[in-house]
Amino acid sequence: MPVTEFIARQWADAAERIAGFDRSAETFLENGESPAPGERFSNPELARSFERIAEEGPGALYGGELGREVVETVRDHGGTLALSDLEAHESEWTDPISTEYRGIEVLEHPPNGQGIVALEALNVAEELGIDPDPLDEERLHRLIEATKLGFADGYAHVSDPDRVAIPTETMLSKAYASERADEIGERAGSYGAKAGEHANTVYLTAVDPQGNAVSFINSVYMSFGSALTAGGFALQNRGHSFSLDPDHANALAPGKRPFHTIIPAMLREDGEFRASWGVMGGSMQPQGHLQVVANLVDSGLNPQAALDVPRFRWLEGDRVAIESSRLPDRVVDSLRERGHDVIEEDAFFAEGGHWGGGQIVYRDEDGTLIGGSDPRRDGQAVGFCESPWRFLVVAPRPFLFGEKTTKRSVRVERWRRHREVPRAA
């Protein structure tokens, strides 16, 4: 299949790591080079692995021949993985955690995932109050600070809930959010957290005409994971999120799961399903969730416009990367005056940085599906029509989140005001 532009860039950035392992280089490089945009790439070994899993089921990996190949690869490079580790694996069903943001329930995956970071940040943002203008400097300042507070608690507490007591109820509490919001002033603060930049993640969502929805995300963590390859696929390196501090919540231990970044999400309104969505990008994920929800709910933007809005990405301390090319100079200047160490767009791209990528399918009250796909990535929104009355809309259309009205003139006027993201003057 042809390699898209964004994937080609990530591939090129990882080529040196891949080249350090013979089997990975044979699988993913051609004469030591990563594929260029538009070049076709095939992976017959991965196809054979998929065929084996289709024939033998999950046991092919969790104890079977494919699993033995994975174990052999890891142990050949100094790892301690055993086949018994794969055989002992059990998947689990978990109940989502949620908070209500201005009448919209936001559902996230529970710890050991970082969805609780987004929910705490939303609670803090709701307490502070957010201006509906996506380019308002006070709004951006408050969202950045709410992000930092969410990460401060997330990195301190989120771990394997089977091994560590996580204060989930407290972190989701509106009263706690009010206390934390009081810490935010007119200037950038520091709350002792640091957001990593690693990401090699894929998100997809599908919704059918009956409102059944799947919000799915998968990742090998860093670009090409550990850079080890078995069966045609890269092996993940999620163990990177463990701590070697024995007193830390994420202290390395046998049979334990570390802090995890991937967080598929959904929205409900009055108990009814409204949207299936997610934002890829390591530590960008909860930051993206916060900003996209604010764009949908506070600004009234349709799904595509909500994804289009210029983003920030908090990095550490006072450092924050901004999509500055689509922001007025006054906004960037104001953030700097407030003490934020702003990294502008070109400089962040030069470091290999990005602002994630999101996908949304929103289901209107009449069952109409409205899709949005992030312009920063290579995805797209696609609709399959069952009848002329139920279809996926991929262009701007009337969109009123959380408001009930049958007055078409009001809906159209609101849409016209919000169908396009404001641009810098």
Side-chain angles (χ1 to χ4, degrees):
M1 63 180 297
V3 177
T4 56
E5 183 176 5
F6 187 84
I7 296 301
R9 177 198 173 202
Q10 290 189 311
W11 211 321
D13 290 343
E16 186 175 349
R17 290 183 66 232
I18 296 169
F21 302 95
D22 291 344
R23 190 165 182 187
S24 298
E26 292 171 4
T27 303
F28 297 114
L29 302 179
E30 182 70 30
N31 297 321
E33 300 290 332
S34 62
E39 188 174 339
R40 292 186 176 274
F41 172 77
S42 62
N43 191 339
E45 190 175 6
L46 179 61
R48 289 191 291 270
S49 293
F50 284 152
E51 289 174 348
R52 175 177 287 176
I53 293 171
E55 293 170 0
E56 303 176 17
L61 178 61
Y62 296 103
E65 192 59 37
L66 189 55
R68 292 187 180 90
E69 186 177 333
V70 170
V71 169
E72 181 179 334
T73 299
V74 172
R75 297 184 77 89
D76 283 349
H77 292 86
T80 60
L81 185 69
L83 192 62
S84 59
D85 294 321
L86 298 180
E87 292 171 331
H89 172 77
E90 292 184 0
S91 298
E92 62 180 17
W93 290 100
T94 58
D95 293 326
I97 56 176
S98 68
T99 195
E100 188 171 288
Y101 182 78
R102 296 192 58 213
I104 302 301
E105 186 183 9
V106 183
L107 297 96
E108 297 276 3
H109 200 276
N112 60 320
Q114 63 177 342
I116 197 168
V117 171
L119 298 180
E120 181 178 328
L122 282 165
N123 284 340
V124 171
E126 183 180 50
E127 184 69 26
L128 293 170
I130 300 301
D131 192 283
D133 179 3
L135 306 187
D136 178 73
E137 48 262 49
E138 179 67 23
R139 165 177 163 145
L140 287 171
H141 168 69
R142 291 181 176 183
L143 290 178
I144 292 168
E145 295 303 291
T147 295
K148 291 154 74 171
L149 283 170
F151 271 115
D153 284 333
Y155 284 141
H157 300 295
V158 174
S159 184
D160 187 340
D162 293 336
R163 305 291 292 274
V164 175
I166 301 171
T168 302
E169 186 174 339
T170 298
M171 292 175 68
L172 294 177
S173 163
K174 298 288 189 179
Y176 180 67
S178 179
E179 293 177 13
R180 299 242 62 181
D182 286 342
E183 300 177 41
I184 296 177
E186 293 301 314
R187 293 189 58 79
S190 183
Y191 312 99
K194 179 178 179 180
E197 296 181 29
H198 306 300
N200 202 193
T201 305
V202 172
Y203 176 82
L204 63 87
T205 182
V207 182
D208 71 12
Q210 289 72 44
N212 299 301
V214 174
S215 185
F216 178 87
I217 195 165
N218 187 53
S219 173
V220 293
Y221 194 43
M222 293 184 183
S223 188
F224 287 83
S226 63
L228 296 178
T229 300
F233 54 90
L235 305 184
Q236 51 90 4
N237 64 332
R238 285 286 170 183
H240 181 275
S241 295
F242 279 121
S243 171
L244 298 181
D245 178 356
D247 297 323
H248 194 278
N250 276 295
L252 180 65
K256 183 180 178 182
R257 295 170 292 176
F259 177 99
H260 213 291
T261 59
I262 57 177
I263 46 172
M266 290 191 179
L267 302 178
R268 286 195 298 211
E269 184 180 16
D270 297 330
E272 296 293 323
F273 169 77
R274 275 292 168 262
S276 179
W277 64 295
V279 177
M280 301 165 279
S283 66
M284 185 63 214
Q285 292 181 50
Q287 304 189 51
H289 286 203
L290 171 67
Q291 293 173 73
V292 170
V293 169
N295 296 337
L296 290 168
V297 179
D298 294 297
S299 304
L301 299 183
N302 65 62
Q304 186 58 60
L307 291 170
D308 292 347
V309 170
R311 291 185 192 143
F312 68 81
R313 180 169 185 163
W314 174 70
L315 304 173
E316 61 177 314
D318 295 331
R319 295 183 73 234
V320 59
I322 299 287
E323 288 187 304
S324 52
S325 69
R326 294 188 293 130
L327 287 171
D329 290 342
R330 62 171 174 78
V331 175
V332 177
D333 292 343
S334 175
L335 291 175
R336 285 183 168 139
E337 289 168 4
R338 294 168 189 260
H340 297 283
D341 181 6
V342 175
I343 313 301
E344 295 197 40
E345 192 167 326
D346 289 347
F348 192 50
F349 267 128
E351 298 174 6
H354 60 83
W355 285 269
Q359 317 291 338
I360 305 175
V361 177
Y362 174 89
R363 189 173 191 264
D364 213 342
E365 292 175 5
D366 62 3
T368 300
L369 301 178
I370 309 165
S373 184
D374 205 311
R376 300 166 184 83
R377 293 292 179 94
D378 303 318
Q380 60 181 325
V382 178
F384 298 91
C385 298
E386 265 191 7
S387 76
W389 309 112
R390 296 288 175 92
F391 56 93
L392 181 77
V393 178
V394 296
R397 66 178 298 281
F399 185 74
L400 283 175
F401 207 123
E403 296 186 22
K404 308 271 195 299
T405 179
T406 57
K407 296 181 179 179
R408 186 176 182 276
S409 61
V410 174
R411 290 175 64 89
V412 172
E413 179 59 24
R414 179 69 180 272
W415 167 55
R416 284 174 177 161
R417 283 189 284 125
H418 293 302
R419 63 181 176 176
E420 294 183 356
V421 179
R423 302 297 183 184

